[in-house]
Amino acid sequence: MKKKAVKRILGIVCCMTLSMSMLAGCGSADQTTATEATQETTAADETKTEAEAQEPAEAQPVEVTLGIWPEDTLADDIAMHEGFVETMKTKDPNVTYTPAYYKYATDTFMPMVESGNCPTVFESWFTEPQKLIASKAVANITSDLEEKGWLNSMNPSIKELLSDKDGNIYGIPRDGYALGLMLNVELFEEAGLVDADGYPLYPKTMDELAQAAKTIKDKTGAAGFVLLAKDNAGGWHFSNIAWNFGATLCIDNGDGTFTSNLNSPEAIEAMEFVKSLKWDYDVLTADPTNEDWGTGFTQLGTGNAAMYIAANDAVNQPTQVNGLPVDKLAMCAIPEGPGGQYSLFGGTPYMFSKDAAPEQIGAALDYIEVMGKGPSVSEDAIAGMQADAENKSAAGVPVIPRFPCWTDQAILDAEAKIIEEYGNVDTKMFQPYFDATSSEGLRSEEPGLTQDMYGELTKVLQSVITDKNADVTALMNTANDNYQKLLDDTYSAN
């Protein structure tokens, strides 16, 4: 460094030191006054800060849109939910709950998400969570469940369906179900298919199903069996029939890829059986290609058909929705086939918008708790269970056990007590169903692109019931090729 520059820096430092000394010396009296004033101000600020700290932070408004709101035709259910909303207002007035009924569909969900209109909480199917998680379309609620103490209360098999590979959880179960066979007891009575005590002589094998359906058709004129062939629900039901013939429809290769197996001999035999219901026994409704999940219940509930594949979580459909008296509904297992007896296990999860803030998710979980659908035996939760049972009983809906989605003994005991108190049906009408679905025959839906597989199977169903000469083997080969291509396009590139 040059000497002049060193001198200039030293000069600046000296001047700054001198100036500060002069200011310190000249200002000693004023400084005392200023210091006192500063101390007073600081003390006042500290007092104010302490006072502010003692005041609770003002709660911010939270809005929760309820995609789980009942559809417009279910007035009693809506009234019950309005009661839940009133309860929530007393618990947290800063939260606004807005009805936003949404019925999940694969072709409407993602567009709704992309437009930012997904409800805070909505219902889906157990086939969907892995796809929605992979699409980043739903919220990770692991920390929210931990905060509520619900994290370890879920049935492990259901938790796995709702979790990613790292164990993060994205939903909770509304309920589970196992497919069985619903019976219109009035038609069984009219056809003489009841025992000495008046209980329906339900079919135990696929052959007995066809024979019982024919007897009912011959003696009452009503269809013996509802086959769905309008949409994916047709393939869904058929998959359970195929299992009972010994089929496995999709093979998980264990390396992230899947092999379609729709054209196995067992699957083809099952499809031949379905074809025979139309062309050999003539026991189906007038046009199965117009039958979907909802119309199937209409046919059963209004006495146009005697048997329908359905689950315990939909007993309101033939009764409350379609008018079948509560004591004229019975359930049994889907009949055994040459491959055994299986019951497709599935369910309905509550899931949450990816855009939902933690406060919204927390408020939605609080609402579910008040509904009595969470693993809680709080006073509000018990009240919610009672309200649900009372509503069902008043609406003529069977009050029967639900699938054990939560495993805490306290919640299981509470649910059993509710059934004991509000049960409104002869349990023998449902015992064959519960006996079967408590056994080892429960089977989860096929892996892979399950809904796409159902779609391919439905195309075959449509062909075999509209064309007496349909070549079942050729149709199943085509369905198999189509489905394999979808699997390869989706998984082989990963």
Side-chain angles (χ1 to χ4, degrees), residues 81-149:
H81 275 262
E82 289 172 342
F84 295 149
V85 170
E86 289 302 314
T87 299
M88 294 307 301
K89 283 182 180 176
T90 64
K91 296 174 71 69
D92 191 347
N94 287 302
V95 181
T96 300
Y97 292 93
T98 304
Y101 168 69
Y102 171 65
K103 183 177 181 179
Y104 182 86
T106 55
D107 60 341
T108 63
F109 182 72
M110 288 309 296
M112 183 176 67
V113 170
E114 291 166 359
S115 65
N117 293 317
C118 184
T120 308
V121 55
F122 62 96
E123 297 174 357
S124 178
W125 313 316
F126 277 177
T127 56
E128 302 303 282
Q130 292 304 313
K131 183 169 63 178
L132 301 182
I133 292 168
S135 302
K136 302 186 185 305
V138 288
N140 178 350
I141 62 168
T142 310
S143 59
D144 306 281
L145 295 180
E146 186 170 19
E147 186 175 339
K148 286 191 73 68

Side-chain angles (χ1 to χ4, degrees), residues 3-41:
K3 291 183 179 179
K4 288 185 178 179
V6 173
K7 287 182 178 178
R8 189 180 301 122
I9 293 173
L10 288 173
I12 293 171
V13 171
C14 289
C15 287
M16 290 179 63
T17 302
L18 180 60
S19 297
M20 294 176 67
S21 299
M22 291 176 64
L23 285 170
C26 294
S28 57
D30 292 340
Q31 182 185 32
T32 301
T33 303
T35 300
E36 291 174 350
T38 301
Q39 289 172 341
E40 290 174 358
T41 301

